[in-house]
Amino acid sequence: MGTVVLGTGSCLPEKVLTNLELESIVDTSAEWIKSRTGIESRHIGGKGEKTYQLATQAAQKALDSAGVAAEEIGLIVLGTISSHMLMPSSACFVQKELGAKNAFAYDINAACSGFLYGMDLADKYIKADHAMKVLVIGAETLSSRLNWQDRNTCILFGDGAGAAVLGYSPTDRGIIGSNMHSDGSLWQLLCMHAPESLNPDLVVDGNAGAYIQMEGREVFKHAVRAMADAVSGLLEREKISRESLSLVIPHQANMRILNNLIDRLHIPQSKVFINVSKYGNTSAASIPIALDEAHGSGLIAQGDTILFCSFGGGFTWGATLIKW
Ligand code: UT7
């Protein structure tokens, strides 16, 4: 162990889009969205708002809560699939905005698992270099990458950012272990094309546009099974019982996925942190936003065992255990 969370932060855009407002955008009903997904509203970026700006605000709050200066950060990893530019990375923009001049910075493209992949990476860096402090961020403006005519997807997602500062503690606290997976063979079930090639020879067949495409039912089946298996495998490997878990913070995809996951895991719902009704699925940002809310509302105490799990496009998925 040894890699602890020193502070957390989050940031949601001010603008809120309700289910009722979606009725005037796409052929849907507020009631359908609420009953099928549990989502009631989501925050979406306002004019000019960018992923790195949400990320910077979340990161600054995490630094403040950790009592760590930007100059002390050695690495910034940012999970996102909705940067406003392909190059430079959003992580480099955050580095500039924070004045984190001693950090190197890059983005991770692991869709909804971006934050957990980032935590896993940070854990390995910190274990190799105890002086290292890492800023792990998940941030999205997915509203810029949705087909607003596709009711199967546009009602599900939202924008936001969450962040955590990770560092070393010479105690028995910290990241216990993680169990990360990918399966690229199923990429077509949940994907987003790049902008069209400018080289006619490299034009990709079937590129309808740079927005999320999803086979919802198929994704649903894989997501529940994969997260449950990753969690069970991790608990078994680390010899941690379900009963000893203090809190579970899953990726906030939608209530149907969460309810099925809870049933499969045999964990009481009272131990599962859920905020999807307010934010929808914010992809890489969903776990760090939930973590910051749980932390801020006093739901996490030192010594608690916390479990995270995620699933996203790629497919990418995994689970992480931490002793707080
Ligand atoms: O991070 C992982 C990201 N992925 C996800 O979170 C999504 C995983 N998928 C799911 O959780 C579920 O598939 C959904 C909640 C997205 C959808 O629930 P479903 O019960 O699987 O709906 P469906 O896609 O099978 O569609 C059922 C019906 C269809 O109509 P017909 O063919 O039965 O007439 C859809 O056209 O519901 C219709 N429908 C809608 N109706 C009103 C689909 N979207 C909407 C909508 N409003 N927004």
Side-chain angles (χ1 to χ4, degrees), residues 237-253:
R237 192 184 79 202
E238 301 298 340
K239 299 187 176 42
I240 303 250
S241 69
R242 284 165 166 69
E243 294 69 39
S244 63
L245 295 174
S246 316
L247 189 66
V248 180
I249 304 183
H251 168 50
Q252 310 284 312

Side-chain angles (χ1 to χ4, degrees), residues 4 25 111 153-154 180 187 197 255-256 260 269 306 309 321-323:
V4 293
I25 296 174
T153 52
C154 74
M180 297 297 154
W187 69 270
S197 164
M255 261 335 282
R256 289 187 67 199
N260 275 269
Q269 181 151 350
I306 317 283
C309 60
L321 273 168
I322 185 164
K323 187 170 178 197

Side-chain angles (χ1 to χ4, degrees), residues 27-29 32 36-37 112 151-152 155-156 190 214 216-217 219-220 251 253-254 256-257 281 311:
D27 179 19
T28 189
S29 74
W32 191 97
R36 293 287 183 119
T37 71
C112 306
R151 65 181 185 174
N152 293 296
I155 55 124
L156 291 171
L190 178 53
M214 181 173 71
R217 287 214 163 172
V219 173
F220 176 85
H251 168 50
N254 64 59
R256 289 187 67 199
I257 290 190
N281 180 346
F311 183 88

